[in-house]
Amino acid sequence: MPLKPHITSHRKPRRSSGPVRVLRAGVAGGALATLVATASPASAADAESPAEATAELPVLPFADSDIALPEPAKAAGVRVQEGVEALEQSALRTAVRAEADEAGAAALKAATEKHEAAVAREAARKEAAERAAEARASRTATRTDLGTTAATGSAATVISFLEAQVGKAYVMGGTGPSAYDCSGLTQAAFRTIGVSLPRTAAEQSTAGTQIPVSQVRAGDLVFWGGVGSAYHVAVYIGGGQYLDAANPSKGVVIQQMSYYMPTSAVRVL
């Protein structure tokens, strides 16, 4: 036995100064993990050994991970997840507000257009009512003026002849005594007092003195159509009425001036 027996040292072996690989997985998918692996300095063969080679582990979500992470890491992951959810909620609220604003603008535009259309319709209705009222007032004034006139002298003779023809037939080109057309009747009536009228309504509308329809008196001729181109003629007999050979269905009749207002008038007497 040697004098100094070998005594096993109790000092810990010096740690290897070989490289230390630290794999740090970032925060992704709601998980945070830190993995540390060391490589043995024993030999090149040992360093390349598959059993001791460092492998990168997958990052697992907090809920399914078996790795016990420090509380600060867990808290950080929770905050990140809450931030993501807050951003998603904010984006959703923004989209909803934008959609609501667009729908509100469309509804406001439709309501405005509807209101404007209603205002326009009401204005048109009022204008039409005012025009109708003016027309009625004009007709009333005309009837009042016409009603104040009465036939005298030669006009009374003409009207008396015309009233005797009421009920006779209307025949185109008829000049009496059993049937008349409109100008044939007026021509025959004025012939009884020695006044010779042209044959047609258009020609008769240029005879005598032109007067406004509102100023006619008994015995005046009234026309429908322009001066020189009238297509119908009658004799005003007073009281807002005229007498004419109207058409084949009516024959010779007395009618209200307001029923079919003439457009021009001529005073012959």
Side-chain angles (χ1 to χ4, degrees):
M1 176 180 293
L3 295 177
K4 294 181 180 181
H6 177 72
I7 299 174
T8 303
S9 174
H10 294 285
R11 288 184 302 174
K12 293 182 180 180
R14 183 177 299 176
R15 290 187 179 182
S16 171
S17 60
V20 176
R21 287 193 297 164
V22 177
L23 302 180
R24 185 178 300 275
V27 176
L32 178 65
T34 303
L35 304 177
V36 179
T38 59
S40 173
S43 65
D46 292 339
E48 294 176 357
S49 173
E52 296 182 1
T54 302
E56 184 174 353
L57 299 179
V59 177
L60 301 176
F62 289 124
D64 300 330
S65 176
D66 293 332
I67 300 175
L69 298 176
E71 289 302 323
K74 289 184 179 181
V78 170
R79 287 194 297 271
V80 170
Q81 186 65 28
E82 290 176 349
V84 171
E85 292 176 356
L87 289 174
E88 291 176 350
Q89 291 296 325
S90 176
L92 179 60
R93 286 193 297 271
T94 300
V96 170
R97 282 197 298 269
E99 185 175 353
D101 291 344
E102 183 177 354
L108 178 60
K109 180 180 179 182
T112 301
E113 292 176 350
K114 184 177 180 180
H115 175 70
E116 292 175 350
V119 171
R121 286 195 300 270
E122 180 64 16
R125 185 193 66 78
K126 288 183 178 179
E127 183 178 358
E130 290 174 357
R131 289 181 179 178
E134 291 174 358
R136 286 194 299 270
S138 177
R139 288 195 297 269
T140 300
T142 299
R143 286 196 296 270
T144 301
D145 292 342
L146 294 175
T148 60
T149 60
T152 59
S154 298
T157 302
V158 170
I159 293 171
S160 178
F161 172 83
L162 290 170
E163 289 175 341
Q165 312 309 309
V166 172
K168 291 186 178 181
Y170 174 98
V171 175
M172 178 68 70
T175 56
S178 59
Y180 301 90
D181 64 11
C182 65
S183 57
L185 178 62
T186 55
Q187 186 183 50
F190 279 85
R191 189 184 298 122
T192 62
I193 60 171
V195 176
S196 179
L197 292 178
R199 175 63 187 87
T200 66
E203 293 170 329
Q204 291 179 11
S205 68
T206 62
T209 303
Q210 297 291 325
I211 58 173
V213 174
S214 61
Q215 296 179 12
V216 295
R217 66 190 184 195
D220 289 339
L221 295 173
V222 291
F223 298 90
W224 288 261
V227 176
S229 60
Y231 56 86
H232 190 67
V233 62
V235 177
Y236 179 68
I237 62 174
Q241 296 178 319
Y242 62 83
L243 190 154
D244 68 336
N247 53 52
S249 64
K250 288 184 177 181
V252 179
V253 292
I254 295 174
Q255 303 189 83
Q256 293 294 326
M257 186 82 81
S258 60
Y259 173 74
Y260 187 29
M261 288 295 294
T263 55
S264 62
V266 166
R267 181 163 294 159
V268 179
L269 302 178

